[in-house]
Amino acid sequence: MPDKPKVAFYWCASCGGCEESIVDLAEDILGVVAAVDIMFWPVAMDFKKSDVETIADGGLLVAMINGAVRTSEQEEMAKLLRRKSTLVVAYGSCAHMGGIPGLANQFDREQIMKYVYEDSPSTVNADHARPVPATGNGGPTLPAFRSMVRALDQVIDVDYYLPGCPPVPRMLKAAIGTLLSGKLPPKGTVLGPDTGLCEECPRKETKPADLSYTAFHRPHEVTIKEETCLLAQGVVCMGPATRGGCGAQCIAGNMPCTGCFGPTSRVRDQGAKILSAIASSVAAKDTEGIDRTLATIPDPVGTFYRYGLPGSLLRRKIADHN
Amino acid sequence: MPERNGHDAPRIGFYVCHCGHNIAGTVDVAAVAKFAATLPNVVVARDYKYMCSDPGQELITTDIREEKLNRIVVASCSPLLHEHTFRVATQKGGLNPFFFQMVNIRENVSWVNDDGKAATAKACDLVRAAVRRVAVHRALETKHVRIHPDVLIVGAGISGIHAALTLANAGKKVTLVEREPTIGGHMAMFDKTFPTLDCAACILTPKMSAVKNHPNITLWSYSEVTEVSGYVGNYTVKVKRKPRYVSEELCVGCMECIDACVYKEGKTPDEFNQGLSKRKPVYIPFPQATPQVVLIDPETCIEFKSGRCKKTCVEKCDRNAIDFKQKEEIREINVGAIILSTGFKTFDAKRIPYYGYGKFPNVYSSIEVERLVNASGPTSGELILRDGRRPKTVGIIHCVGSRDKNTNRWCSRTCCMYSLKLAHLLKEHSHAEVYNFYIDIRAAGKAYEEFYDKLLEENIHFIRGRVAEVTDWCARPEEKGKLIIRVEDTMIGVVRRVPVDMVVLAVGMEPNADAQDVRRMFNISCSTEGFFLERHPKLAPVDTFTDGIYIAGACQGPKDIPDSVAQAGAAAAQALSLIDAGEVELEPNTAYVVEEDCSGCKSCLAICPYSAISRDEAKQKAVINEALCKGCGTCVATCPSGAIRQNLFEDEQIFSEIRGLLEADEPILTGGEA
Amino acid sequence: MTTTAEQANGWEPRIVAFFCNWCTYTAADLAGVSRLRHAPNARIIRVMCSGRLDPQFVLDAFARGADGVLVGGCHPGDCHYMEGNYKALRRVRLLERMLDGMGIHRDRFRLEWISASEGEKVKTTINDMVARVRALGPLALPAKFADWDREMDELEHAVAAQTEDVHA
């Protein structure tokens, strides 16, 4: 009997939601387990690094790596899995574009360390102790905490991307089927539809053709009407600039899309594009009026780059006004 | 990864022009060619003295054939000048003309830099950008549109009249729209014209009459354009015909209704006579008005205000031409070309309060004086002031509202000559002492200087100095009852007080008050001063940046009658050139929606000011009407999923250009980026 | 601030300028025709309308090494395509705030309305912008990206060494 294809799952700077999404396959997971040999899945069972090291180079069919890359340990594991694997899939928003952890790119390393270890309200640290990478004497070492958050393809070569925070089980199932079929799409493809979310949004018909904005509202500031397009209600929804495929689940939960699937393949910077689409339709024509309307979006970087900051064109905030 | 064009690998021919000394004097063109040869996909790199010349273009066509080139880049002057030339050369060589990119290293580089090293480096960056860009150009087809042979002319002063007659005589159907009840514009108000002292009405009325009688001219007086849509060769225009309450077909201009009006005398300031006389509610602007049809002013006519007039006018009219029920009409016409000859307005002298206009009754504007000395004017040509006196001394102040940073900076070009003319006429009518207060005498036209010479012999007094003030405050008893002009006589270096009975202000020429509204309606630009903007001040004075729309006369800038007529002829010639060519090529830089990429998010629908984007409800996607798209690209930048592309300005092309500009020291980027 | 090292290296600000065809590009040509010499640091990319300006272009220019980005369009009310410049203005106002949030100094990104007859304004705008960017020093994002990514280099060798050990 021929060997079953070998796969690995790994999590970098991750919340664990992507791992859960695999479990969310529910009964379908039995089909997966039957079709492949899982050689490495530390979240699920007691796998060690040496389990990966003993695999021959290219011995894995695919490594599905989720989470952003922040520490040297994550880099090391990513590079190791890259060697050992024929294909690497960047799984979930963090691996795809940096994800929510990517918002840390608005701060530099020192700002983060100082806040986490000293300034945060619940921290007591009179000695101003900070983590040290090594004590010497062969004692324990800590991985290096890098200066910025990276998407997976900024560290290793990536073959495919499965978008979403987390990816939806339906798309995971389809992706596995594709990878096992041998009929592989072009390298670098994002495994999902390539049109904006509005295409599958049930509220599309309620969006007026002549929508123009005088003010925006954050979700907690208004009662969001069900069944009416969120943008039409002045709530910033990333849907138009976000790849579809998720079934518009957030909209079904009466909340706006926040852009976790990233942009379509024709767009190089999702945040810039949604900025363009929304700003273009501001009603005012004079600078003061325009500014007044746009002031109701208090945090453009956080809003437009919620998942995609490391993967954006600028990647991170440049240290103090450069 | 982004889809490639599906072309063979690019084989680029690069050419840099010396442009004689213009480029090569600053930019090291040999070095630029050498540099270009090192760039990706460049197969041929040459420098040549004059690329736009025939041999220069032949270099391109020969190389395409012999080196199997499929892209061309020329670094020379501005694309606004020669892009078309080189596209044609590219096409002659057998390639689609849009596989061409131009680099501006003259207007943007050699002409604005003296530092050869910096200029050459800049040229190289721009060349690299073009080489990157042209590699991702696509083949495009130019659109050809047929030209509708009819013409619309807006404004029937001397310019509009002349253009209309020229085109009508060439066999074209002209619609001539004029907002006043009569054609003739400002020229109809003048008494005599300089330098010949021809009677304005005598030389104008035959032309007005010709307009009325020409079978090819449809004259819509008392009408205004309200809406314009379309594009060169295919304009649709809505014209509002205002109600005269008199039928144009039936009225013969006998004017007996005016005599019969229940008003025994006029009570409303007469617009044509600049408010110096009064008219009745039923009136005609002046006796030779064309069309010779009266009109009724609903604001002052008793029948309109109360509904209870005896209507003696109706009784008197044996043609039954009066119709109080007449309604405004909107008409729609299709034309291929439009000429705007909407004229000017005079500077409002009230804006210079220290000249006393509107304060002292005997301070007049020049246009008021034209009516005063006119035999058919409010005083039948007698020089009688508002207070009934005949002036013994007159002061004419030049440059009122011109050459002045407090009001208008420009020179209004006609005022010196008309001030000299008025000086002559005033002296002739009254034998008064006439003083002209001037800064310079601008008498540049044919026979103008000679006219000035003649005046010097007529004992007209010329004082060089900008008048500081017109006052009625007397310093000496002899000044009582007069207006004192205070001026520094710069020839003798003394401040003088010149007492006069009458002051004439030579008011400048300005754009019409609604020039901005009009130009927006026709989608042309205005210059900073507010006159309609010509395409090129020297080489294209009557074209605008909007194809198919031409300008002529004072609406383009202050000018006299000879120049207005010349421009009107030029505009007519341009229109004829367009129409007789039969069709015109449009640049194919339109935008289109890639259907499979569109998510139906509707972000683009309201973005287009030409309403070129609509929603296909069946497919739930946006679709762009190519005929309406003007190629601005705003929708392309708006589309949040990159589903709209603009020919010639695709995202990929611009990104390539950006990359080429900056990649001089491009370090290796990690991951992601191709 | 420009360091002395940068000045010694002969660093010159690189400005990418997006000019609209009908107004600003024509004005730049007019500046050339009028021989109005000005700083050579601006490289012009011609677009038909300032409304074509996609914010991605601005970010891409910075990411590829531009020290400044200038956008030129027709004055409000004068856009050849009626309203493209209003859309550009709205996008620019939001983009300015976003660039602030990304630590890029305001002086590096500028929107200027320049009409076809304002050749002089092209000259003064470019000169002024170059002076301001020169005072700020290079942005040099590609070099910064490379610099930041160097922190991962040491790891390459370590990983290579480790795996050699395992297979040895």
Side-chain angles (χ1 to χ4, degrees), chain A residues 267-296:
Chain A
V267 169
R268 294 185 187 205
D269 188 301
Q270 183 186 25
K273 267 304 196 178
I274 189 68
L275 180 157
S276 191
I278 286 182
S280 298
S281 292
V282 163
K285 284 174 141 167
D286 62 303
T287 310
E288 291 78 51
I290 293 170
D291 285 350
R292 229 176 301 125
T293 302
L294 294 174
T296 51

PDB file of all heavy atoms in Angstrom, chain A residues 267-296:
ATOM      1  N   VAL A 267      -5.121  43.676  -6.063  1.00  0.00           N
ATOM      2  CA  VAL A 267      -4.847  44.796  -5.170  1.00  0.00           C
ATOM      3  C   VAL A 267      -3.568  44.527  -4.410  1.00  0.00           C
ATOM      4  O   VAL A 267      -3.368  43.417  -3.912  1.00  0.00           O
ATOM      5  CB  VAL A 267      -6.030  44.978  -4.189  1.00  0.00           C
ATOM      6  CG1 VAL A 267      -5.679  45.957  -3.082  1.00  0.00           C
ATOM      7  CG2 VAL A 267      -7.256  45.468  -4.948  1.00  0.00           C
ATOM      8  N   ARG A 268      -2.720  45.552  -4.300  1.00  0.00           N
ATOM      9  CA  ARG A 268      -1.453  45.344  -3.597  1.00  0.00           C
ATOM     10  C   ARG A 268      -1.522  45.791  -2.141  1.00  0.00           C
ATOM     11  O   ARG A 268      -0.686  45.382  -1.343  1.00  0.00           O
ATOM     12  CB  ARG A 268      -0.340  46.143  -4.281  1.00  0.00           C
ATOM     13  CG  ARG A 268      -0.059  45.633  -5.664  1.00  0.00           C
ATOM     14  CD  ARG A 268       1.107  46.348  -6.284  1.00  0.00           C
ATOM     15  NE  ARG A 268       1.252  45.940  -7.670  1.00  0.00           N
ATOM     16  CZ  ARG A 268       2.383  45.983  -8.345  1.00  0.00           C
ATOM     17  NH1 ARG A 268       3.469  46.443  -7.771  1.00  0.00           N
ATOM     18  NH2 ARG A 268       2.425  45.601  -9.594  1.00  0.00           N
ATOM     19  N   ASP A 269      -2.477  46.638  -1.826  1.00  0.00           N
ATOM     20  CA  ASP A 269      -2.554  47.139  -0.454  1.00  0.00           C
ATOM     21  C   ASP A 269      -4.027  47.343  -0.109  1.00  0.00           C
ATOM     22  O   ASP A 269      -4.654  48.289  -0.564  1.00  0.00           O
ATOM     23  CB  ASP A 269      -1.763  48.449  -0.336  1.00  0.00           C
ATOM     24  CG  ASP A 269      -1.633  48.925   1.099  1.00  0.00           C
ATOM     25  OD1 ASP A 269      -2.670  49.152   1.761  1.00  0.00           O
ATOM     26  OD2 ASP A 269      -0.503  49.069   1.571  1.00  0.00           O
ATOM     27  N   GLN A 270      -4.560  46.427   0.713  1.00  0.00           N
ATOM     28  CA  GLN A 270      -5.988  46.443   1.007  1.00  0.00           C
ATOM     29  C   GLN A 270      -6.413  47.731   1.710  1.00  0.00           C
ATOM     30  O   GLN A 270      -7.437  48.309   1.402  1.00  0.00           O
ATOM     31  CB  GLN A 270      -6.309  45.236   1.893  1.00  0.00           C
ATOM     32  CG  GLN A 270      -7.777  45.078   2.216  1.00  0.00           C
ATOM     33  CD  GLN A 270      -8.016  43.960   3.221  1.00  0.00           C
ATOM     34  OE1 GLN A 270      -7.139  43.620   4.004  1.00  0.00           O
ATOM     35  NE2 GLN A 270      -9.211  43.390   3.208  1.00  0.00           N
ATOM     36  N   GLY A 271      -5.608  48.167   2.671  1.00  0.00           N
ATOM     37  CA  GLY A 271      -5.960  49.367   3.424  1.00  0.00           C
ATOM     38  C   GLY A 271      -6.068  50.585   2.523  1.00  0.00           C
ATOM     39  O   GLY A 271      -6.983  51.400   2.659  1.00  0.00           O
ATOM     40  N   ALA A 272      -5.136  50.697   1.573  1.00  0.00           N
ATOM     41  CA  ALA A 272      -5.157  51.843   0.668  1.00  0.00           C
ATOM     42  C   ALA A 272      -6.407  51.822  -0.187  1.00  0.00           C
ATOM     43  O   ALA A 272      -7.009  52.860  -0.484  1.00  0.00           O
ATOM     44  CB  ALA A 272      -3.915  51.832  -0.215  1.00  0.00           C
ATOM     45  N   LYS A 273      -6.827  50.630  -0.608  1.00  0.00           N
ATOM     46  CA  LYS A 273      -7.978  50.525  -1.507  1.00  0.00           C
ATOM     47  C   LYS A 273      -9.295  50.839  -0.814  1.00  0.00           C
ATOM     48  O   LYS A 273     -10.156  51.508  -1.363  1.00  0.00           O
ATOM     49  CB  LYS A 273      -8.043  49.135  -2.128  1.00  0.00           C
ATOM     50  CG  LYS A 273      -7.355  49.035  -3.464  1.00  0.00           C
ATOM     51  CD  LYS A 273      -7.892  50.049  -4.456  1.00  0.00           C
ATOM     52  CE  LYS A 273      -7.504  49.717  -5.879  1.00  0.00           C
ATOM     53  NZ  LYS A 273      -8.056  50.677  -6.831  1.00  0.00           N
ATOM     54  N   ILE A 274      -9.465  50.339   0.421  1.00  0.00           N
ATOM     55  CA  ILE A 274     -10.726  50.647   1.090  1.00  0.00           C
ATOM     56  C   ILE A 274     -10.753  52.131   1.430  1.00  0.00           C
ATOM     57  O   ILE A 274     -11.797  52.787   1.358  1.00  0.00           O
ATOM     58  CB  ILE A 274     -10.963  49.759   2.338  1.00  0.00           C
ATOM     59  CG1 ILE A 274     -12.379  49.948   2.880  1.00  0.00           C
ATOM     60  CG2 ILE A 274      -9.967  50.049   3.430  1.00  0.00           C
ATOM     61  CD1 ILE A 274     -13.486  49.428   1.977  1.00  0.00           C
ATOM     62  N   LEU A 275      -9.574  52.685   1.747  1.00  0.00           N
ATOM     63  CA  LEU A 275      -9.487  54.118   1.999  1.00  0.00           C
ATOM     64  C   LEU A 275      -9.974  54.885   0.776  1.00  0.00           C
ATOM     65  O   LEU A 275     -10.762  55.826   0.865  1.00  0.00           O
ATOM     66  CB  LEU A 275      -8.029  54.494   2.308  1.00  0.00           C
ATOM     67  CG  LEU A 275      -7.701  55.951   2.617  1.00  0.00           C
ATOM     68  CD1 LEU A 275      -6.412  56.018   3.420  1.00  0.00           C
ATOM     69  CD2 LEU A 275      -7.529  56.793   1.364  1.00  0.00           C
ATOM     70  N   SER A 276      -9.508  54.453  -0.387  1.00  0.00           N
ATOM     71  CA  SER A 276      -9.883  55.131  -1.622  1.00  0.00           C
ATOM     72  C   SER A 276     -11.382  55.034  -1.875  1.00  0.00           C
ATOM     73  O   SER A 276     -12.037  56.016  -2.201  1.00  0.00           O
ATOM     74  CB  SER A 276      -9.105  54.528  -2.789  1.00  0.00           C
ATOM     75  OG  SER A 276      -9.257  55.323  -3.926  1.00  0.00           O
ATOM     76  N   ALA A 277     -11.919  53.829  -1.731  1.00  0.00           N
ATOM     77  CA  ALA A 277     -13.340  53.632  -2.037  1.00  0.00           C
ATOM     78  C   ALA A 277     -14.217  54.444  -1.098  1.00  0.00           C
ATOM     79  O   ALA A 277     -15.183  55.084  -1.521  1.00  0.00           O
ATOM     80  CB  ALA A 277     -13.693  52.153  -1.929  1.00  0.00           C
ATOM     81  N   ILE A 278     -13.878  54.441   0.176  1.00  0.00           N
ATOM     82  CA  ILE A 278     -14.715  55.141   1.150  1.00  0.00           C
ATOM     83  C   ILE A 278     -14.546  56.655   1.020  1.00  0.00           C
ATOM     84  O   ILE A 278     -15.517  57.396   0.940  1.00  0.00           O
ATOM     85  CB  ILE A 278     -14.386  54.662   2.580  1.00  0.00           C
ATOM     86  CG1 ILE A 278     -14.958  53.269   2.779  1.00  0.00           C
ATOM     87  CG2 ILE A 278     -14.932  55.623   3.606  1.00  0.00           C
ATOM     88  CD1 ILE A 278     -14.735  52.713   4.165  1.00  0.00           C
ATOM     89  N   ALA A 279     -13.306  57.114   0.962  1.00  0.00           N
ATOM     90  CA  ALA A 279     -13.085  58.564   0.909  1.00  0.00           C
ATOM     91  C   ALA A 279     -13.694  59.161  -0.362  1.00  0.00           C
ATOM     92  O   ALA A 279     -14.227  60.274  -0.338  1.00  0.00           O
ATOM     93  CB  ALA A 279     -11.591  58.868   0.978  1.00  0.00           C
ATOM     94  N   SER A 280     -13.602  58.450  -1.477  1.00  0.00           N
ATOM     95  CA  SER A 280     -14.110  59.002  -2.739  1.00  0.00           C
ATOM     96  C   SER A 280     -15.566  59.397  -2.640  1.00  0.00           C
ATOM     97  O   SER A 280     -16.014  60.307  -3.329  1.00  0.00           O
ATOM     98  CB  SER A 280     -13.955  57.986  -3.870  1.00  0.00           C
ATOM     99  OG  SER A 280     -12.601  57.693  -4.075  1.00  0.00           O
ATOM    100  N   SER A 281     -16.319  58.708  -1.793  1.00  0.00           N
ATOM    101  CA  SER A 281     -17.756  58.970  -1.709  1.00  0.00           C
ATOM    102  C   SER A 281     -18.150  59.852  -0.541  1.00  0.00           C
ATOM    103  O   SER A 281     -19.320  59.936  -0.204  1.00  0.00           O
ATOM    104  CB  SER A 281     -18.522  57.650  -1.646  1.00  0.00           C
ATOM    105  OG  SER A 281     -18.406  56.975  -2.872  1.00  0.00           O
ATOM    106  N   VAL A 282     -17.182  60.521   0.063  1.00  0.00           N
ATOM    107  CA  VAL A 282     -17.541  61.511   1.086  1.00  0.00           C
ATOM    108  C   VAL A 282     -18.308  62.627   0.386  1.00  0.00           C
ATOM    109  O   VAL A 282     -17.969  63.026  -0.723  1.00  0.00           O
ATOM    110  CB  VAL A 282     -16.261  62.043   1.773  1.00  0.00           C
ATOM    111  CG1 VAL A 282     -16.538  63.326   2.525  1.00  0.00           C
ATOM    112  CG2 VAL A 282     -15.700  60.991   2.700  1.00  0.00           C
ATOM    113  N   ALA A 283     -19.356  63.129   1.039  1.00  0.00           N
ATOM    114  CA  ALA A 283     -20.215  64.104   0.367  1.00  0.00           C
ATOM    115  C   ALA A 283     -19.552  65.469   0.217  1.00  0.00           C
ATOM    116  O   ALA A 283     -19.698  66.123  -0.794  1.00  0.00           O
ATOM    117  CB  ALA A 283     -21.535  64.248   1.130  1.00  0.00           C
ATOM    118  N   ALA A 284     -18.827  65.918   1.222  1.00  0.00           N
ATOM    119  CA  ALA A 284     -18.310  67.284   1.217  1.00  0.00           C
ATOM    120  C   ALA A 284     -17.285  67.497   0.117  1.00  0.00           C
ATOM    121  O   ALA A 284     -16.609  66.563  -0.303  1.00  0.00           O
ATOM    122  CB  ALA A 284     -17.667  67.598   2.575  1.00  0.00           C
ATOM    123  N   LYS A 285     -17.197  68.757  -0.331  1.00  0.00           N
ATOM    124  CA  LYS A 285     -16.237  69.097  -1.373  1.00  0.00           C
ATOM    125  C   LYS A 285     -15.164  70.055  -0.853  1.00  0.00           C
ATOM    126  O   LYS A 285     -14.174  70.297  -1.534  1.00  0.00           O
ATOM    127  CB  LYS A 285     -16.947  69.796  -2.536  1.00  0.00           C
ATOM    128  CG  LYS A 285     -17.716  68.842  -3.408  1.00  0.00           C
ATOM    129  CD  LYS A 285     -18.497  69.599  -4.447  1.00  0.00           C
ATOM    130  CE  LYS A 285     -18.446  68.842  -5.756  1.00  0.00           C
ATOM    131  NZ  LYS A 285     -19.415  69.340  -6.715  1.00  0.00           N
ATOM    132  N   ASP A 286     -15.395  70.600   0.321  1.00  0.00           N
ATOM    133  CA  ASP A 286     -14.405  71.540   0.857  1.00  0.00           C
ATOM    134  C   ASP A 286     -13.579  70.827   1.915  1.00  0.00           C
ATOM    135  O   ASP A 286     -14.054  69.900   2.575  1.00  0.00           O
ATOM    136  CB  ASP A 286     -15.124  72.737   1.491  1.00  0.00           C
ATOM    137  CG  ASP A 286     -16.001  72.311   2.647  1.00  0.00           C
ATOM    138  OD1 ASP A 286     -16.889  71.462   2.426  1.00  0.00           O
ATOM    139  OD2 ASP A 286     -15.793  72.779   3.780  1.00  0.00           O
ATOM    140  N   THR A 287     -12.349  71.316   2.108  1.00  0.00           N
ATOM    141  CA  THR A 287     -11.417  70.628   3.003  1.00  0.00           C
ATOM    142  C   THR A 287     -11.981  70.460   4.415  1.00  0.00           C
ATOM    143  O   THR A 287     -11.888  69.371   4.998  1.00  0.00           O
ATOM    144  CB  THR A 287     -10.091  71.396   3.043  1.00  0.00           C
ATOM    145  OG1 THR A 287      -9.675  71.642   1.705  1.00  0.00           O
ATOM    146  CG2 THR A 287      -9.023  70.577   3.747  1.00  0.00           C
ATOM    147  N   GLU A 288     -12.587  71.527   4.963  1.00  0.00           N
ATOM    148  CA  GLU A 288     -13.084  71.416   6.353  1.00  0.00           C
ATOM    149  C   GLU A 288     -14.189  70.384   6.456  1.00  0.00           C
ATOM    150  O   GLU A 288     -14.221  69.577   7.384  1.00  0.00           O
ATOM    151  CB  GLU A 288     -13.639  72.762   6.860  1.00  0.00           C
ATOM    152  CG  GLU A 288     -12.612  73.837   7.087  1.00  0.00           C
ATOM    153  CD  GLU A 288     -12.189  74.477   5.778  1.00  0.00           C
ATOM    154  OE1 GLU A 288     -13.082  74.877   5.013  1.00  0.00           O
ATOM    155  OE2 GLU A 288     -10.981  74.552   5.522  1.00  0.00           O
ATOM    156  N   GLY A 289     -15.119  70.427   5.500  1.00  0.00           N
ATOM    157  CA  GLY A 289     -16.225  69.480   5.527  1.00  0.00           C
ATOM    158  C   GLY A 289     -15.730  68.049   5.379  1.00  0.00           C
ATOM    159  O   GLY A 289     -16.192  67.128   6.066  1.00  0.00           O
ATOM    160  N   ILE A 290     -14.756  67.865   4.486  1.00  0.00           N
ATOM    161  CA  ILE A 290     -14.199  66.533   4.281  1.00  0.00           C
ATOM    162  C   ILE A 290     -13.543  66.053   5.564  1.00  0.00           C
ATOM    163  O   ILE A 290     -13.767  64.920   6.019  1.00  0.00           O
ATOM    164  CB  ILE A 290     -13.167  66.558   3.128  1.00  0.00           C
ATOM    165  CG1 ILE A 290     -13.855  66.836   1.794  1.00  0.00           C
ATOM    166  CG2 ILE A 290     -12.392  65.256   3.065  1.00  0.00           C
ATOM    167  CD1 ILE A 290     -12.899  67.118   0.654  1.00  0.00           C
ATOM    168  N   ASP A 291     -12.740  66.922   6.157  1.00  0.00           N
ATOM    169  CA  ASP A 291     -12.046  66.523   7.397  1.00  0.00           C
ATOM    170  C   ASP A 291     -13.014  66.172   8.500  1.00  0.00           C
ATOM    171  O   ASP A 291     -12.789  65.235   9.271  1.00  0.00           O
ATOM    172  CB  ASP A 291     -11.115  67.660   7.856  1.00  0.00           C
ATOM    173  CG  ASP A 291      -9.870  67.744   6.999  1.00  0.00           C
ATOM    174  OD1 ASP A 291      -9.639  66.823   6.193  1.00  0.00           O
ATOM    175  OD2 ASP A 291      -9.130  68.738   7.135  1.00  0.00           O
ATOM    176  N   ARG A 292     -14.101  66.957   8.582  1.00  0.00           N
ATOM    177  CA  ARG A 292     -15.078  66.691   9.631  1.00  0.00           C
ATOM    178  C   ARG A 292     -15.677  65.303   9.472  1.00  0.00           C
ATOM    179  O   ARG A 292     -15.816  64.562  10.433  1.00  0.00           O
ATOM    180  CB  ARG A 292     -16.186  67.757   9.576  1.00  0.00           C
ATOM    181  CG  ARG A 292     -16.503  68.380  10.914  1.00  0.00           C
ATOM    182  CD  ARG A 292     -17.523  69.495  10.815  1.00  0.00           C
ATOM    183  NE  ARG A 292     -17.115  70.570   9.956  1.00  0.00           N
ATOM    184  CZ  ARG A 292     -17.817  71.025   8.914  1.00  0.00           C
ATOM    185  NH1 ARG A 292     -18.995  70.517   8.634  1.00  0.00           N
ATOM    186  NH2 ARG A 292     -17.363  71.999   8.166  1.00  0.00           N
ATOM    187  N   THR A 293     -16.020  64.960   8.255  1.00  0.00           N
ATOM    188  CA  THR A 293     -16.577  63.627   8.015  1.00  0.00           C
ATOM    189  C   THR A 293     -15.544  62.559   8.324  1.00  0.00           C
ATOM    190  O   THR A 293     -15.834  61.575   9.010  1.00  0.00           O
ATOM    191  CB  THR A 293     -17.015  63.489   6.543  1.00  0.00           C
ATOM    192  OG1 THR A 293     -17.966  64.500   6.241  1.00  0.00           O
ATOM    193  CG2 THR A 293     -17.621  62.124   6.287  1.00  0.00           C
ATOM    194  N   LEU A 294     -14.314  62.751   7.838  1.00  0.00           N
ATOM    195  CA  LEU A 294     -13.311  61.709   8.006  1.00  0.00           C
ATOM    196  C   LEU A 294     -12.850  61.584   9.460  1.00  0.00           C
ATOM    197  O   LEU A 294     -12.348  60.540   9.874  1.00  0.00           O
ATOM    198  CB  LEU A 294     -12.111  61.989   7.102  1.00  0.00           C
ATOM    199  CG  LEU A 294     -12.411  61.894   5.601  1.00  0.00           C
ATOM    200  CD1 LEU A 294     -11.197  62.321   4.794  1.00  0.00           C
ATOM    201  CD2 LEU A 294     -12.805  60.472   5.214  1.00  0.00           C
ATOM    202  N   ALA A 295     -13.054  62.640  10.254  1.00  0.00           N
ATOM    203  CA  ALA A 295     -12.654  62.562  11.670  1.00  0.00           C
ATOM    204  C   ALA A 295     -13.455  61.505  12.412  1.00  0.00           C
ATOM    205  O   ALA A 295     -13.028  61.001  13.457  1.00  0.00           O
ATOM    206  CB  ALA A 295     -12.845  63.918  12.345  1.00  0.00           C
ATOM    207  N   THR A 296     -14.607  61.127  11.837  1.00  0.00           N
ATOM    208  CA  THR A 296     -15.408  60.089  12.500  1.00  0.00           C
ATOM    209  C   THR A 296     -14.857  58.695  12.239  1.00  0.00           C
ATOM    210  O   THR A 296     -15.449  57.709  12.665  1.00  0.00           O
ATOM    211  CB  THR A 296     -16.882  60.172  12.042  1.00  0.00           C
ATOM    212  OG1 THR A 296     -16.936  60.184  10.615  1.00  0.00           O
ATOM    213  CG2 THR A 296     -17.537  61.434  12.581  1.00  0.00           C
TER     214      THR A 296
END
